[in-house]
Amino acid sequence: MASSSLTLSQAIFSPSLPRRGSSSSSSPSLSFPIFSGLKSTPFTSSHRRFLLPSTSFTKQQLSVRASAAVETLDKTDAALVEKSVNTIRFLAVDAVEKANSGHPGLPMGCAPMGHILYDEVMKYNPKNPYWFNRDRFVLSAGHGCMLQYALLHLAGYDSVQEEDLKSFRQWGSKIPGHPENFETPGVEVTTGPLGQGIANAVGLALAERHLAARFNKPDSEIVDHYTYVILGDGCQMEGISNEACSLAGHWGLGKLIAFYDDNHISIDGDTEIAFTEDVSARFESLGWHVIWVKNGNTGYDEIRAAIKEAKAVKDKPTMIKVTTTIGFGSPNKANSYSVHGSALGAKEVEATRNNLGWPYEPFHVPGDVKTHWSRHTSEGAALETEWNAKFAEYEKKYPEEAADLKSIITGELPAGWAKALPTYLPESPADATRNLSQQNLNALAKVLPGFLGGSADLASSNMTLLKMFGDFQKNSPEERNLRFGVREHGMGAICNGIALHSLGLIPYCATFFVFTDYMRGAMRISALSEAGVIYVMTHDSIGLGEDGPTHQPIEHLASFRAMPNILMFRPADGNETAGAYKVAVLKRKTPSVLALSRQKLPQLAGTSIDGVAKGGYIVSDNSSGNKPDIILLGTGSELEIAVKAADELRKEGKTVRVVSLVSWELYDEQPADYKESVLPASVTARVSIEAGSTFGWLKFLGDKGKAIGVDGFGASAPADRIYKEFGITAEAVVAAAKEVS
């Protein structure tokens, strides 16, 4: 392939925040390779992404290398396999020992299955970790991350060099204490909170199944990759794993293969003290194909046979239960909790070296092991080059499908997509923002090829159905409505996997706002791992009425405003709802939460899509010279109340400015001069109104302002009565304004 040719896979980048002291200031400026006919964009370290070049091959080399890449290592000397497995073990042991922190037990026990996956089974290109058609690997038991780092190092990923292994868990390290996709190219998703990873893997497998159903043709299987995951006893205990695996079985995700590290040890000791269920029987009942490898320590052929069997099952995901010994090779700590979460100690490291016949210095990779693994660089490049050529042919035959797939892979949004968003006039009918949200969802689905999502058994109440599409099911995987059932936590984590599969997949998921309590763990991982999931949260306040305090969110707005890298929107009407969706679609590295009303709200004069992008803006103002007597601030359903209160105060001769603070995070990003134009420091008479906790409003109100809100639990009654009883009224705002003036 000529060096001047720009391939589809070259347009794929990884999010890479230079966090925790990692140096990026000296990174050279690069050119952003994109598709033919598109303008090139300068690329620097400020883009927070990696660009990895592809390799050129002749057709003869391509054929030989691609063929070699899919061969198993039946001919590989058994002694070399054993040496390779022990290399993985001791890279983990040495890194944990040097850091004096970490989890050596899992890598020592799982090294055989890790070796077989990365060296014999998976297809990937270590010099372009973001090649689209690669197999995905998820370490759900993220505490054992040195297993994955050792494998990435041996496979030739530039992200994990020997010096990186020596800086494991240290400030600025590219290999942190749990896998982080934004730190380490080659890591697909961020894991650590147990159970999240297997749920992410379900999302990755769902994405592959969906894209394959939409884009593969009888003469061109352009989407074809597997998702592999290793999970442990802790993952199995967490409820989220059952939620996600139940869905995986229901959906028949045949290209999802999970390895259950059955080592019977958790932090507190043997799992007999708390976990005695028959996991295999449970997974069979969930609709999975189940295989048991009884000797995961040295049974290499058993592991190989299990993978072969799993791949032969096309209509079910497969769980391979692999019975291992945690800390395998450690004479005194193997098969005990003491090897789970702490370094072995110098004496035990030496004893383990002697026990496994490992004469090498720390971090040493024997020459024959290094040579053996080095082939993955050329073979991986050949696989990618072969796929690029295949896609080029596909593009000639199916230009429309290729354009959509290209958009999904690169994240480049179709030209003019935002024009599809509806706009509203003050005379437009009043409506609940959940209904206005549905109008926006359906408008976006028509123009964004990667837009899909669903609800946790509340689609008819959240108003999230895409009317032009059917349901994603086992026999209709090309459809875009996802039915998650009552599984909020699993839903959020599955959507994280979808979002992290391809830059242009834009998943949304929905439930009542109060039930974010069930999925907060997944939402936090969205924010941490830069997964741009859109969370559609309806029934956003005491305004939902009769269902009462169990369903009425109070502290939820404040809690998400406190979470880093997440946008909390509370739109007041149709234009603000459309504006929130516009930002949410654009912010692919930041998840968004839209808190939407059950009750009808008027279309307000002065609201705008563009205003939402600034987070806070002036809705109405009868003052001059940026010197209003009073500033009233509101969000969502209470912005209408602020507007009514302003009208009353103006009748009394006051100059009043009404400000919508629809997204605090976006407002905080604005330059100081803009914020001064909205909330001038000289005006201290300020009142806020929001049907939620008043926590946090002080930074906008100052010491002399007053916040009207709800700082206790709600009540069961019609919404109008609840608002009156809690003092969420225009009369209360007028009284407060007079008090602070």
Side-chain angles (χ1 to χ4, degrees):
M1 184 174 60
S3 60
S4 61
S5 175
L6 301 177
T7 69
L8 178 59
S9 56
Q10 283 178 310
I12 308 306
F13 292 88
S14 160
S16 177
L17 291 178
R19 300 184 182 180
R20 291 191 283 275
S22 57
S23 175
S24 61
S25 59
S26 61
S27 299
S29 177
L30 301 174
S31 177
F32 179 12
I34 47 182
F35 296 115
S36 177
L38 298 178
K39 184 178 179 181
S40 181
T41 302
F43 176 81
T44 66
S45 60
S46 64
H47 285 76
R48 304 187 307 179
R49 302 180 187 268
F50 288 91
L51 173 62
L52 296 155
S54 60
T55 306
S56 299
F57 294 95
T58 66
K59 289 184 178 180
Q60 182 178 10
Q61 288 173 321
L62 174 60
S63 176
V64 170
R65 294 181 186 277
S67 175
V70 296
E71 291 179 357
T72 62
L73 296 186
D74 292 337
K75 298 179 181 179
T76 302
D77 182 84
L80 181 57
V81 172
E82 187 70 24
K83 186 183 285 189
S84 175
V85 168
N86 280 334
T87 301
I88 296 165
R89 289 184 173 124
F90 281 100
L91 287 175
V93 166
D94 294 338
V96 171
E97 195 67 22
K98 188 173 189 302
N100 194 29
S101 175
H103 301 74
L106 182 146
M108 297 170 75
C110 291
M113 65 180 98
H115 165 88
I116 290 170
L117 277 174
Y118 269 83
D119 191 47
E120 304 181 19
V121 175
M122 287 171 54
K123 60 181 183 182
Y124 56 87
N125 179 4
K127 299 307 178 186
N128 183 5
Y130 310 106
W131 167 45
F132 168 72
N133 207 40
R134 69 193 181 278
D135 289 333
R136 271 71 170 175
F137 173 79
V138 175
L139 184 63
S140 188
H143 55 273
C145 56
M146 268 311 307
L147 170 70
Q148 189 170 14
Y149 298 150
L151 291 165
L152 293 174
H153 176 63
L154 291 176
Y157 284 77
D158 294 332
S159 54
V160 186
Q161 303 292 325
E162 182 178 335
E163 289 307 309
D164 299 310
L165 296 173
K166 293 178 179 178
S167 65
F168 175 52
R169 288 185 162 224
Q170 305 306 301
W171 180 265
S173 174
K174 289 188 289 185
I175 55 169
H178 288 82
E180 298 173 359
N181 61 295
F182 52 87
E183 290 286 1
T184 315
V187 171
E188 301 289 350
V189 298
T190 296
T191 60
L194 295 176
Q196 293 278 343
I198 178 61
N200 294 164
V202 172
L204 291 168
L206 181 153
E208 193 278 344
R209 183 75 181 94
H210 174 68
L211 296 177
R214 283 177 61 184
F215 296 108
N216 284 351
K217 303 294 182 181
D219 63 344
S220 184
E221 195 173 27
I222 201 69
V223 182
D224 176 24
H225 50 267
Y226 282 81
T227 300
Y228 300 96
V229 57
I230 293 178
L231 69 159
D233 290 304
C235 296
Q236 296 284 19
M237 294 183 215
E238 288 285 359
I240 185 176
S241 65
N242 198 69
E243 291 182 18
C245 291
S246 175
L247 282 166
H250 170 74
W251 287 326
L253 300 179
K255 287 188 175 177
L256 173 62
I257 300 176
F259 294 80
Y260 166 32
D261 176 27
D262 172 41
N263 64 38
H264 297 285
I265 297 294
S266 63
I267 291 176
D268 279 353
D270 194 293
T271 54
E272 285 292 323
I273 64 175
F275 187 59
T276 55
E277 67 185 49
D278 186 336
V279 175
S280 295
R282 174 161 62 88
F283 269 73
E284 287 176 351
S285 73
L286 293 176
W288 287 57
H289 180 65
V290 176
I291 306 168
W292 184 14
V293 172
K294 297 181 180 180
N295 177 13
N297 298 324
T298 58
Y300 304 117
D301 287 339
E302 289 183 59
I303 296 171
R304 293 181 181 112
I307 296 171
K308 184 177 181 180
E309 179 181 335
K311 285 191 167 189
V313 177
K314 306 295 185 182
D315 61 343
K316 294 181 179 182
T318 295
M319 185 194 78
I320 303 174
K321 175 182 172 181
V322 185
T323 299
T324 66
T325 300
I326 189 170
F328 180 86
S330 171
N332 303 301
K333 294 188 176 183
N335 199 35
S336 73
Y337 69 90
S338 61
V339 78
H340 171 85
S342 59
L344 294 178
K347 289 184 179 179
E348 189 64 15
V349 169
E350 185 63 26
T352 304
R353 276 181 152 77
N354 292 335
N355 188 41
L356 292 177
W358 195 252
Y360 305 103
E361 293 296 313
F363 301 102
H364 180 76
V365 178
D368 49 352
V369 173
K370 187 178 296 185
T371 299
H372 173 73
W373 279 82
S374 67
R375 76 189 195 287
H376 289 292
T377 296
S378 57
E379 290 177 0
L383 285 168
E384 181 179 348
T385 303
E386 181 183 38
W387 185 86
N388 288 338
K390 190 175 184 179
F391 184 85
E393 291 300 314
Y394 179 91
E395 191 170 23
K396 292 176 184 177
K397 294 180 180 179
Y398 311 105
E400 291 184 7
E401 291 92 334
D404 282 350
L405 181 55
K406 212 182 262 190
S407 174
I408 290 170
I409 293 173
T410 65
E412 183 178 347
L413 300 173
W417 69 271
K419 294 178 182 178
L421 292 168
T423 56
Y424 303 85
L425 299 173
E427 55 267 28
S428 299
D431 209 345
T433 51
R434 62 171 175 164
N435 293 331
L436 301 168
S437 166
Q438 185 174 44
Q439 295 172 18
N440 281 270
L441 288 171
N442 279 271
L444 290 170
K446 293 176 182 178
V447 295
L448 299 177
F451 198 70
L452 75 168
S455 169
D457 199 48
L458 289 169
S460 60
S461 192
N462 298 143
M463 310 305 291
T464 49
L465 280 179
L466 301 178
K467 297 177 181 179
M468 70 288 293
F469 295 108
D471 292 345
F472 176 98
Q473 296 290 357
K474 185 174 184 177
N475 296 319
S476 56
E478 72 281 0
E479 301 292 353
R480 296 205 224 168
N481 285 303
L482 305 179
R483 302 285 191 169
F484 290 104
V486 189
R487 302 180 181 93
E488 292 89 355
H489 200 184
M491 173 177 70
I494 288 169
C495 284
N496 285 340
I498 296 170
L500 293 171
H501 182 279
S502 296
L503 291 174
L505 284 177
I506 305 174
Y508 66 88
C509 61
T511 186
F512 291 170
F513 192 28
V514 75
F515 296 144
T516 55
D517 290 345
Y518 283 121
M519 60 193 297
R520 186 174 301 272
M523 296 175 79
R524 188 176 188 274
I525 292 294
S526 292
L528 177 62
S529 62
E530 302 177 338
V533 177
I534 301 175
Y535 292 95
V536 182
M537 302 291 115
T538 68
H539 298 63
D540 71 331
S541 73
I542 56 172
L544 65 87
E546 292 85 350
D547 275 342
T550 60
H551 284 53
Q552 294 167 352
I554 300 295
E555 74 280 12
H556 298 70
L557 288 166
S559 71
F560 285 109
R561 288 167 178 161
M563 187 179 288
N565 193 43
I566 196 166
L567 296 175
M568 181 69 247
F569 292 96
R570 192 162 183 256
D573 64 1
N575 286 327
E576 288 203 341
T577 302
Y581 273 110
K582 181 179 180 181
V583 174
V585 168
L586 289 170
K587 293 279 190 176
R588 291 294 76 229
K589 299 302 176 189
T590 301
S592 297
V593 183
L594 278 68
L596 304 166
S597 74
R598 177 180 183 266
Q599 70 272 36
K600 288 186 176 182
L601 303 175
Q603 310 297 340
L604 299 172
T607 60
S608 71
I609 291 176
D610 292 338
V612 173
K614 295 182 181 296
Y617 64 104
I618 298 169
V619 173
S620 69
D621 191 3
N622 68 331
S623 69
S624 60
N626 202 28
K627 294 180 180 179
D629 296 327
I630 304 163
I631 300 176
L632 306 180
L633 304 93
T635 73
S637 48
E638 291 71 66
L639 188 62
E640 172 198 5
I641 295 174
V643 169
K644 289 180 178 178
D647 290 341
E648 293 301 315
L649 290 165
R650 288 165 186 158
K651 291 176 183 177
E652 300 179 12
K654 298 292 186 181
T655 59
V656 185
R657 174 177 294 175
V658 179
V659 171
S660 171
L661 272 180
V662 59
S663 171
W664 293 14
E665 299 79 26
L666 291 177
Y667 182 76
D668 286 343
E669 292 176 0
Q670 303 309 309
D673 58 346
Y674 175 78
K675 288 190 279 190
E676 176 65 19
S677 74
V678 176
L679 297 176
S682 62
V683 181
T684 59
R686 304 180 184 185
V687 178
S688 69
I689 182 165
E690 184 174 66
S693 171
T694 60
F695 184 84
W697 276 101
L698 183 63
K699 73 174 184 177
F700 300 113
L701 299 174
D703 292 337
K704 297 181 180 180
K706 184 170 183 178
I708 297 173
V710 182
D711 288 318
F713 290 115
S716 179
D720 291 346
R721 181 64 183 272
I722 296 175
Y723 267 64
K724 182 179 179 180
E725 294 294 336
F726 279 89
I728 310 297
T729 63
E731 293 78 10
V733 175
V734 170
K738 292 178 178 179
E739 181 183 335
V740 300
S741 295

